[in-house]
Amino acid sequence: MRKKYWFIFILVLFTVLSSMLGYFYIQKKNEYRQIAGVKYYNSTDISNLAVLCKIWGFVKYYHPSVVEGKYNWDDELINMMPKVLKSHNKDERNLMLSEWLASLEDFEQETLPELYPDSVRMYPDLDWITDKTELGTLSDQLERIKTAKRNFKKDKFIQYSDNTISGEAEYNKPTYPVTEYRLLALFRFWNVIQYYYPYKYLISENWHKDLLEFIPKFIDARNELEYKLAILELITKLNDTHAGMGWNNTIEKWKGENIAPYQVSFVEGKLVVTGVYAVRDTINANHSIQVGDVILSINKTPVENIIAEKCKYTPGSNYTAQLRRIADFILRTNAEKMYVEYQHDGRQLNTVVSCYTMNRVNITSRFQRKETLFKTIGDSIGYLYLGSTNGGVVPQTINTKGLIIDLRCYPAYDKIGGYMDYALLYTEPEVFVKFTMGNSKFPGLFQYLGELTAGSENPNAYKGKKIILVNEVTQSHAEFIAMKYSVAENSIIIGSTTAGADGDVISLKMPGGIKVMFTGVGVYYPDGRETQGVGIVPDIEVKPTIQGIREGRDEVLEKAIELILKER
């Protein structure tokens, strides 16, 4: 009998404790909703969070003790969020932030080095720290931190390993982080771009206004997909073809796990079929659409409407590069069928196309293909395709009427030898490029690092005309090689706008197991002209036409052959 009473007593106690715990959990949850802004926030809250973001990032990269990792700076941010959001006015917020900074370890001062204007490409964007109307006496503290003595050799947060910023905590789980960690992701990325993106001055919109725009988007993201799309949208603001997100299952599902078996490209402003993919284990694939046909709508949505929707989430240094990227997934879907309206021989037709899982479709790369590295074409004209996956070494002796170097690809550098320093092309050394890189001692400063030279004195250099072919596929390393080859004597570039993203790629880990990428080094012509966004501008512009695609012609290559024969 006594056991029964004990059992009842324990059951009642458990029920009471559960209710109390539930009550406290609900209270805590509601408090969190009100404090962290999961649902309830206003313009003042957004402004306060933006100020916190800027100060947190500035101190992260400028305060010596924080730079050296003496504080868990992510945790400091998480702890400050609810406090800042509870502040009733600007003065209260600034006082709280001022006390926070005052609690950090003191530091020595250092005289900033004299900067020669001709050596600087971009100065740090620090005017905001002088705004005493917004920051009050907090401004003085930030000014003092600006001139702190920093040991960049002990920098915790900007460590490059395999082109990855390796000093950041990863937070891989959960893949849909809670609000404060979503904001941490935004603040981390915003500040890396603020201080270590070489082309911040080319961002089309004000980066500070972008912060105010994206704080609500990161707060309001209701699930993993919305969170990752918010990141993609933010990345797209950089206007950088290097920018993007590492392979992510959620985004791949959003793009579509199936694909209609066609390669498409934007030609003359229209979506044109440029190839038909083979489908594994399928005999009766529907190929009623043919090469040269123009796709007008997909599932009754006009192509131009799809472009407008996808551009928002498709990073690119220029519109041409964005279209190239969109073309790679515009025919993807999660359905097994796709209704397509298209134009064939001037007639508007429609069809239902079967779609297949990506692993069943033999999707050919735009960047490389299995082709001979070097061959003679036409009337004794050399043709060098640096995207060849067959491998080999570029020829060191050539006896042809001219040489065409096809850089409408990404060079297969792991398979091809001799092309990086192709001495055969140059009669004498020529300066072809200069770089800028970030500065841990003075974050946000980008200075020129010096120039690089191609070639050397070579009386046996190839004297014939050299024509370099480029288009929107020519990106990064391919653009760099185009710059390098173009300074060779008797060379000319023909084709169309390149991707406009030269230099290397830096990656950054974000909460939720996400990796984002962007350009890490500035690349310029010797006279300081831009390559980012602009790309490699051809001397003669030649673009494919829809008619040429229908006829199976390579009009850019044809023009190159014509120029060589005309000169001869």
Side-chain angles (χ1 to χ4, degrees):
M1 194 71 175
R2 185 175 295 177
K3 288 182 179 179
K4 181 179 178 181
Y5 288 134
W6 270 109
F7 174 78
I8 293 171
F9 173 78
I10 291 171
L11 183 62
V12 171
L13 182 61
F14 176 79
T15 303
V16 171
L17 287 173
S18 296
S19 299
M20 291 175 65
L21 287 170
Y23 171 78
F24 286 125
Y25 171 76
I26 292 169
Q27 285 294 98
K28 184 67 176 175
K29 185 177 180 183
N30 286 339
E31 180 188 19
Y32 174 73
R33 289 174 70 87
Q34 292 172 11
I35 293 173
V38 173
K39 185 175 180 181
Y40 311 109
Y41 61 86
N42 54 41
S43 59
T44 301
D45 295 328
I46 301 307
S47 177
N48 287 342
L49 285 170
V51 170
L52 175 61
C53 168
K54 293 179 189 180
I55 290 175
W56 175 78
F58 173 78
V59 175
K60 174 179 181 177
Y61 294 127
Y62 271 82
H63 192 292
S65 298
V66 178
V67 166
E68 294 176 19
K70 294 182 179 180
Y71 299 87
N72 186 325
W73 206 234
D74 288 349
D75 280 358
E76 292 282 339
L77 174 65
I78 299 301
N79 291 333
M80 284 303 297
M81 281 184 193
K83 296 177 182 178
V84 165
L85 285 168
K86 280 183 176 179
S87 57
H88 297 96
N89 53 55
K90 191 185 298 183
D91 291 340
E92 188 176 318
R93 177 201 69 195
N94 290 342
L95 177 61
M96 188 182 306
L97 292 171
S98 179
E99 290 173 349
W100 179 39
L101 299 188
S103 70
L104 302 177
E105 188 176 285
D106 202 8
F107 48 82
E108 296 180 43
Q109 293 293 110
E110 185 175 49
T111 303
L112 295 177
E114 183 179 354
L115 298 174
Y116 297 98
D118 289 346
S119 72
V120 177
R121 184 66 188 195
M122 180 171 66
Y123 288 94
D125 172 18
L126 297 178
D127 287 348
W128 63 273
I129 73 172
T130 65
D131 185 356
K132 292 198 173 185
T133 302
E134 180 67 30
L135 300 175
T137 57
L138 187 57
S139 174
D140 297 328
Q141 289 174 281
L142 298 177
E143 286 279 15
R144 186 168 178 270
I145 293 172
K146 174 183 171 182
T147 54
K149 185 176 182 179
R150 287 175 287 278
N151 187 344
F152 66 93
K153 294 180 181 179
K154 294 184 178 180
D155 197 319
K156 171 183 171 60
F157 297 109
I158 298 297
Q159 302 171 20
Y160 294 107
S161 174
D162 297 325
N163 282 15
T164 298
I165 297 175
S166 57
E168 301 281 9
E170 295 186 17
Y171 312 115
N172 290 329
K173 298 290 183 180
T175 53
Y176 170 56
V178 295
T179 306
E180 58 263 59
Y181 281 88
R182 298 199 301 275
L183 288 174
L184 169 62
L186 170 60
F187 292 3
R188 178 184 288 183
F189 184 78
W190 190 90
N191 280 291
V192 163
I193 299 304
Q194 173 77 352
Y195 297 106
Y196 288 98
Y197 182 51
Y199 300 113
K200 180 176 172 289
Y201 61 92
L202 289 177
I203 296 175
S204 59
E205 296 182 32
N206 187 301
W207 193 232
H208 295 268
K209 289 182 179 178
D210 288 334
L211 176 60
L212 292 170
E213 176 190 345
F214 276 86
I215 286 172
K217 292 184 178 186
F218 275 70
I219 290 173
D220 293 340
R222 296 168 297 179
N223 51 48
E224 183 180 347
L225 176 60
E226 289 189 8
Y227 167 57
K228 292 178 177 177
L229 286 177
I231 291 175
L232 262 183
E233 186 181 356
L234 177 65
I235 294 169
T236 302
K237 293 284 187 181
L238 299 185
N239 298 329
D240 183 8
T241 312
H242 275 151
M245 184 183 293
W247 192 93
N248 186 276
N249 190 52
T250 302
I251 294 298
E252 293 305 308
K253 286 182 178 179
W254 170 73
K255 289 180 179 178
E257 296 185 299
N258 298 335
I259 189 171
Y262 299 98
Q263 184 182 68
V264 291
S265 300
F266 286 94
V267 180
E268 297 184 275
K270 298 179 179 179
L271 185 63
V272 181
V273 176
T274 53
V276 179
Y277 296 136
V279 182
R280 300 187 188 101
D281 307 320
T282 301
I283 298 174
N284 299 316
N286 179 359
H287 292 323
S288 57
I289 301 176
Q290 300 174 24
V291 171
D293 289 350
V294 176
I295 294 177
L296 304 173
S297 73
I298 300 168
N299 294 328
K300 299 189 177 180
T301 302
V303 166
E304 54 268 26
N305 292 7
I306 298 173
I307 294 170
E309 176 194 346
K310 301 300 185 188
C311 269
K312 186 178 177 182
Y313 305 108
T314 308
S317 301
N318 51 52
Y319 187 56
T320 303
Q322 281 188 294
L323 289 179
R324 187 203 78 201
R325 283 182 149 187
I326 289 171
D328 286 337
F329 70 92
I330 197 168
L331 294 184
R332 286 176 62 173
T333 177
N334 287 311
E336 294 182 355
K337 302 287 183 181
M338 178 182 287
Y339 179 79
V340 178
E341 291 179 291
Y342 63 102
Q343 192 174 62
H344 174 80
D345 285 341
R347 294 179 298 151
Q348 187 165 323
L349 306 171
N350 63 74
T351 187
V352 175
V353 178
S354 296
C355 301
Y356 307 89
T357 55
M358 301 288 287
N359 60 355
R360 289 183 60 192
V361 180
N362 186 21
I363 299 173
T364 55
S365 171
R366 298 181 190 273
F367 296 94
Q368 295 177 344
R369 61 180 185 267
K370 192 175 177 60
E371 184 174 306
T372 304
L373 173 61
F374 178 79
K375 61 185 178 183
T376 302
I377 61 175
D379 186 12
S380 187
I381 295 173
Y383 175 77
L384 180 64
Y385 176 65
L386 290 182
S388 170
T389 57
N390 288 352
V393 177
V394 295
Q396 298 304 312
T397 57
I398 299 176
N399 184 21
T400 62
K401 294 178 179 179
L403 175 63
I404 296 171
I405 303 172
D406 198 339
L407 278 169
R408 298 172 297 175
C409 61
Y410 191 87
Y413 58 85
D414 56 335
K415 296 179 181 293
I416 299 173
Y419 80 92
M420 277 292 290
D421 299 303
Y422 202 4
L424 182 66
L425 303 181
Y426 308 95
T427 57
E428 59 185 3
E430 296 284 354
V431 174
F432 72 99
V433 69
K434 60 183 177 182
F435 305 97
T436 64
M437 185 173 284
N439 187 324
S440 291
K441 194 118 179 179
F442 198 12
L445 176 69
F446 279 80
Q447 292 175 282
Y448 291 113
L449 300 179
E451 301 171 329
L452 286 186
T453 301
S456 58
E457 295 287 345
N458 182 8
N460 299 316
Y462 180 74
K463 302 297 194 302
K465 194 168 192 66
K466 310 163 191 72
I467 298 185
I468 303 158
L469 311 185
V470 299
N471 66 2
E472 72 277 5
V473 174
T474 310
Q475 177 175 325
S476 193
H477 184 51
E479 292 178 291
F480 182 79
I481 296 299
M483 292 175 71
K484 193 170 187 178
Y485 288 178
S486 69
V487 298
E489 184 181 346
N490 204 14
S491 67
I492 186 173
I493 297 178
I494 75 169
S496 53
T497 305
T498 64
D502 209 335
D504 66 348
V505 185
I506 297 296
S507 65
L508 173 72
K509 300 286 180 65
M510 301 269 274
I514 298 167
K515 181 171 77 171
V516 296
M517 290 84 70
F518 55 92
T519 300
V521 172
V523 179
Y524 303 87
Y525 284 102
D527 61 3
R529 282 179 295 138
E530 296 285 355
T531 63
Q532 183 76 5
V534 179
I536 308 305
V537 179
D539 300 298
I540 299 175
E541 185 177 67
V542 184
K543 296 181 179 181
T545 65
I546 296 173
Q547 186 61 34
I549 289 170
R550 287 174 181 159
E551 295 171 358
R553 296 165 50 204
D554 185 340
E555 292 158 289
V556 181
L557 180 59
E558 289 174 3
K559 183 65 176 179
I561 294 171
E562 176 193 323
L563 290 171
I564 289 173
L565 295 179
K566 184 181 291 185
E567 181 167 292
R568 297 293 295 183

